[in-house]
Amino acid sequence: MLDLIIRGGQVVAPWGVGDWDVAVQGDKIVSVAAAGTVTEEAIRVVDASGTIVVPGGIEPHAHIAAPFVAQGQNVSTAPPEQVSRAALFGGTTTLLDFAVQNPGIDVNQAIAERTAVWQGHSYADYSHHLTLSGQIQPNILGQVREAIEDGFASIKIFTTNVRPPADPGQGRMVRMGHLHDLMELVQREGAMLLVHSEDDDMVMHMYQKMAAEERTQWWNMNLVHTNESEDVSFRRVLNVAEWTGSPVYFVHVSARQGIQAIGESRSKGMPVYGETLHNYCCFNADNYREENGMKYHTYPSLKSEEDRLSLWDGIVKGGLNTMATDEYCTSWDIKIAGKTIADVTGGHNGAETRLGITFSEGVSKRGMSLQRFVDVTSANAAKIMGLYPRKGVIAPGSDADIVLINPSIKKRLARDDFHITDYSIWEGFEIAGWPSTTILRGSVVVENGQLHATLGGGQFIRRKVATDITNRPAC
Ligand SMILES: [Zn+2]
């Protein structure tokens, strides 16, 4: 007796797309077979006719329950209870956020703190990148090595303080020497290095220059976090990657120059990967000019229309590997409180909309193949972050994380379509195709607009990156 059969859908598997039935036993997929050929009885049958059956989405870049200061107040982004719930509604079954090693604590403390935030508090499966900052001491590198062995397979750093630091000694920027040492470690241990890559000198110079010119309104953000800074910084990071052999995953690629730099390194055989965000693909710096246009902002910044179209090109045709969100969910009041280049709040609540928007804009509107859709929303993140083939694929032996996308859902997104916070930059957006059913490890967790998941049912997932991913551009 099977636990579940998903019948009648168009299934997207690594070997092709077809009318197949997916059989599930316990947590796992046990077979993918021609429609009607699974004769074994099942406790539950999900009728998937008229839908496209894809692996559960994997969000590789989310800031959940992240403390920050807004208008002098200590606040925090939305916690796992809220984000994981919204993610399941939107067809994302695994979330990756960050265990941040702030000055004054070590890596083990950072992991313990993150575990306390998540354990028993998530509806979806989850894992944590490590974030390192400032001057990375030898004892910290030692702990990172142990953490990698323990299943924390990815480390993130910033090459900039992003905003002018209140205390210049306490920035999160990692300078080139420390980056070199970290890259050597990442290369040796077979992990993945995530880089928020901007040129700090250029960014801080522009903050000062704009202040001197009294042009500090938020809509000038793209003049501070520029294409040139992305270009210069990516190439500098890639140069060190070439010296050390370290794999690199650039988070939130925002400019066409970023895609170009990644492409050149990949053509040399370097294990380099690029992520962009669905808000970067759908809005540009002109949107900053709208009333409350800071609502669109995510660091580094929205760029020009030409950049936006290049990002779509990278997602649809290749050149970029993943569509992420940089989830940073706050209330509307907090999101629009900052009004200058130095104090706007970056990020937004995208974990729910990522899959649907990528399907609607990518597949329905731009003719992206279904396999490419799966690659950018799930499979590539699973491979690059070390979750594959447990996650990110519909195949025997993999977790039964499965999403049904109904391409006939056509509407204008309204307030009721969102299950988190009190605003969405996607309100009013026309869509064609949207996730309708979400299955997490064999359990139907969202169906007919209802959540059936259990709080605390999400599991922590240990990760290890395959050597083909860390040695060459393998997806
Ligand atoms: Zn981020």
Side-chain angles (χ1 to χ4, degrees), residues 59-63 156 196 249-255 274-283 296-302 307-308 311-312 315 320-328 346-348 350 353-354 357-358 376 425-426:
E59 160 59 276
H61 184 170
H63 301 271
K156 182 189 182 190
H196 174 134
Y249 174 90
F250 287 104
V251 295
H252 47 51
V253 176
S254 68
E275 161 199 290
T276 194
L277 313 175
H278 69 315
N279 55 324
Y280 280 2
C281 286
C282 295
F283 303 100
Y296 298 107
H297 180 61
T298 296
Y299 290 96
S301 72
L302 296 169
D307 292 300
R308 185 182 80 83
L311 296 174
W312 262 125
I315 285 291
L320 291 169
N321 304 92
T322 58
M323 185 74 101
T325 69
D326 205 349
E327 174 87 13
Y328 205 85
H348 68 119
T353 47
R354 184 183 65 102
I357 293 294
T358 306
V376 298
I425 57 174
W426 307 102

Side-chain angles (χ1 to χ4, degrees), residues 407-463:
S408 71
I409 297 175
K410 293 188 170 72
K411 62 178 176 182
R412 189 179 287 274
L413 291 173
R415 190 64 223 104
D416 289 352
D417 291 311
F418 309 107
H419 296 85
I420 188 166
T421 196
D422 53 355
Y423 83 99
S424 171
I425 57 174
W426 307 102
E427 213 173 319
F429 216 76
E430 292 275 2
I431 54 102
W434 204 250
S436 55
T437 301
T438 305
I439 297 164
L440 173 66
R441 279 180 284 100
S443 299
V444 178
V445 287
V446 174
E447 191 178 32
N448 302 319
Q450 299 295 316
L451 184 79
H452 303 289
T454 320
L455 185 60
Q459 290 182 1
F460 170 72
I461 311 288
R462 289 178 201 282
R463 296 174 290 118

Side-chain angles (χ1 to χ4, degrees), residues 43 121 218 231 235 249 254 291 313 422:
I43 293 168
H121 296 278
W218 79 78
D231 188 22
R235 287 174 187 282
Y249 174 90
S254 68
E291 186 184 2
D313 232 43
D422 53 355

